PDB file of all heavy atoms in Angstrom:
ATOM      1  N   ALA D  67       5.137  -2.114   9.644  1.00 92.00           N
ATOM      2  CA  ALA D  67       6.019  -3.169   9.146  1.00 92.00           C
ATOM      3  C   ALA D  67       5.337  -4.536   9.171  1.00 92.00           C
ATOM      4  O   ALA D  67       4.364  -4.749   9.894  1.00 92.00           O
ATOM      5  CB  ALA D  67       7.295  -3.210   9.972  1.00 92.00           C
ATOM      6  N   SER D  68       5.879  -5.472   8.369  1.00 92.00           N
ATOM      7  CA  SER D  68       5.333  -6.832   8.326  1.00 92.00           C
ATOM      8  C   SER D  68       5.734  -7.595   9.587  1.00 92.00           C
ATOM      9  O   SER D  68       6.611  -7.175  10.338  1.00 92.00           O
ATOM     10  CB  SER D  68       5.893  -7.557   7.110  1.00 92.00           C
ATOM     11  OG  SER D  68       7.275  -7.776   7.282  1.00 92.00           O
ATOM     12  N   GLY D  69       5.074  -8.714   9.827  1.00 94.00           N
ATOM     13  CA  GLY D  69       5.359  -9.535  10.999  1.00 94.00           C
ATOM     14  C   GLY D  69       6.810  -9.976  11.062  1.00 94.00           C
ATOM     15  O   GLY D  69       7.434  -9.941  12.129  1.00 94.00           O
ATOM     16  N   LEU D  70       7.356 -10.349   9.922  1.00 94.00           N
ATOM     17  CA  LEU D  70       8.746 -10.810   9.867  1.00 94.00           C
ATOM     18  C   LEU D  70       9.704  -9.716  10.330  1.00 94.00           C
ATOM     19  O   LEU D  70      10.602  -9.949  11.145  1.00 94.00           O
ATOM     20  CB  LEU D  70       9.078 -11.225   8.424  1.00 94.00           C
ATOM     21  CG  LEU D  70      10.494 -11.732   8.186  1.00 94.00           C
ATOM     22  CD1 LEU D  70      10.693 -13.084   8.853  1.00 94.00           C
ATOM     23  CD2 LEU D  70      10.793 -11.822   6.694  1.00 94.00           C
ATOM     24  N   VAL D  71       9.473  -8.491   9.830  1.00 95.00           N
ATOM     25  CA  VAL D  71      10.345  -7.377  10.189  1.00 95.00           C
ATOM     26  C   VAL D  71      10.198  -7.034  11.671  1.00 95.00           C
ATOM     27  O   VAL D  71      11.180  -6.785  12.374  1.00 95.00           O
ATOM     28  CB  VAL D  71      10.045  -6.152   9.285  1.00 95.00           C
ATOM     29  CG1 VAL D  71      10.659  -4.890   9.847  1.00 95.00           C
ATOM     30  CG2 VAL D  71      10.558  -6.415   7.869  1.00 95.00           C
ATOM     31  N   ARG D  72       8.972  -7.072  12.185  1.00 95.00           N
ATOM     32  CA  ARG D  72       8.762  -6.789  13.608  1.00 95.00           C
ATOM     33  C   ARG D  72       9.485  -7.797  14.484  1.00 95.00           C
ATOM     34  O   ARG D  72      10.072  -7.445  15.503  1.00 95.00           O
ATOM     35  CB  ARG D  72       7.274  -6.826  13.935  1.00 95.00           C
ATOM     36  CG  ARG D  72       6.546  -5.619  13.428  1.00 95.00           C
ATOM     37  CD  ARG D  72       5.101  -5.683  13.849  1.00 95.00           C
ATOM     38  NE  ARG D  72       4.375  -4.546  13.306  1.00 95.00           N
ATOM     39  CZ  ARG D  72       3.260  -4.076  13.835  1.00 95.00           C
ATOM     40  NH1 ARG D  72       2.762  -4.640  14.911  1.00 95.00           N
ATOM     41  NH2 ARG D  72       2.658  -3.049  13.300  1.00 95.00           N
ATOM     42  N   LEU D  73       9.437  -9.070  14.058  1.00 95.00           N
ATOM     43  CA  LEU D  73      10.111 -10.127  14.807  1.00 95.00           C
ATOM     44  C   LEU D  73      11.619  -9.852  14.837  1.00 95.00           C
ATOM     45  O   LEU D  73      12.265  -9.942  15.893  1.00 95.00           O
ATOM     46  CB  LEU D  73       9.825 -11.474  14.132  1.00 95.00           C
ATOM     47  CG  LEU D  73      10.156 -12.721  14.939  1.00 95.00           C
ATOM     48  CD1 LEU D  73       9.301 -12.779  16.192  1.00 95.00           C
ATOM     49  CD2 LEU D  73       9.930 -13.966  14.085  1.00 95.00           C
ATOM     50  N   ALA D  74      12.189  -9.484  13.679  1.00 95.00           N
ATOM     51  CA  ALA D  74      13.626  -9.200  13.606  1.00 95.00           C
ATOM     52  C   ALA D  74      13.967  -7.995  14.477  1.00 95.00           C
ATOM     53  O   ALA D  74      15.032  -7.943  15.103  1.00 95.00           O
ATOM     54  CB  ALA D  74      14.040  -8.941  12.149  1.00 95.00           C
ATOM     55  N   ALA D  75      13.035  -7.022  14.552  1.00 95.00           N
ATOM     56  CA  ALA D  75      13.308  -5.814  15.315  1.00 95.00           C
ATOM     57  C   ALA D  75      13.320  -6.092  16.812  1.00 95.00           C
ATOM     58  O   ALA D  75      14.007  -5.428  17.575  1.00 95.00           O
ATOM     59  CB  ALA D  75      12.266  -4.748  14.990  1.00 95.00           C
ATOM     60  N   VAL D  76      12.550  -7.098  17.226  1.00 95.00           N
ATOM     61  CA  VAL D  76      12.383  -7.360  18.652  1.00 95.00           C
ATOM     62  C   VAL D  76      13.446  -8.326  19.190  1.00 95.00           C
ATOM     63  O   VAL D  76      13.817  -8.287  20.359  1.00 95.00           O
ATOM     64  CB  VAL D  76      10.942  -7.891  18.880  1.00 95.00           C
ATOM     65  CG1 VAL D  76      10.911  -9.186  19.619  1.00 95.00           C
ATOM     66  CG2 VAL D  76      10.111  -6.822  19.565  1.00 95.00           C
ATOM     67  N   VAL D  77      14.012  -9.161  18.305  1.00 95.00           N
ATOM     68  CA  VAL D  77      14.827 -10.278  18.779  1.00 95.00           C
ATOM     69  C   VAL D  77      16.112  -9.799  19.485  1.00 95.00           C
ATOM     70  O   VAL D  77      16.500 -10.356  20.514  1.00 95.00           O
ATOM     71  CB  VAL D  77      15.111 -11.275  17.621  1.00 95.00           C
ATOM     72  CG1 VAL D  77      16.069 -10.701  16.604  1.00 95.00           C
ATOM     73  CG2 VAL D  77      15.610 -12.587  18.144  1.00 95.00           C
ATOM     74  N   GLY D  78      16.720  -8.741  18.972  1.00 94.00           N
ATOM     75  CA  GLY D  78      17.937  -8.218  19.603  1.00 94.00           C
ATOM     76  C   GLY D  78      17.677  -7.754  21.026  1.00 94.00           C
ATOM     77  O   GLY D  78      18.470  -8.016  21.939  1.00 94.00           O
ATOM     78  N   TRP D  79      16.526  -7.070  21.208  1.00 95.00           N
ATOM     79  CA  TRP D  79      16.181  -6.559  22.549  1.00 95.00           C
ATOM     80  C   TRP D  79      15.900  -7.691  23.511  1.00 95.00           C
ATOM     81  O   TRP D  79      16.238  -7.601  24.702  1.00 95.00           O
ATOM     82  CB  TRP D  79      14.966  -5.628  22.465  1.00 95.00           C
ATOM     83  CG  TRP D  79      15.228  -4.425  21.619  1.00 95.00           C
ATOM     84  CD1 TRP D  79      14.875  -4.238  20.317  1.00 95.00           C
ATOM     85  CD2 TRP D  79      15.945  -3.244  21.998  1.00 95.00           C
ATOM     86  NE1 TRP D  79      15.326  -3.024  19.879  1.00 95.00           N
ATOM     87  CE2 TRP D  79      15.975  -2.395  20.881  1.00 95.00           C
ATOM     88  CE3 TRP D  79      16.561  -2.831  23.180  1.00 95.00           C
ATOM     89  CZ2 TRP D  79      16.606  -1.151  20.898  1.00 95.00           C
ATOM     90  CZ3 TRP D  79      17.186  -1.593  23.205  1.00 95.00           C
ATOM     91  CH2 TRP D  79      17.205  -0.769  22.071  1.00 95.00           C
TER      92      TRP D  79
END
Side-chain angles (χ1 to χ4, degrees):
Chain D
S68 68
L70 180 69
V71 165
R72 286 183 183 204
L73 194 63
V76 127
V77 71
W79 298 99

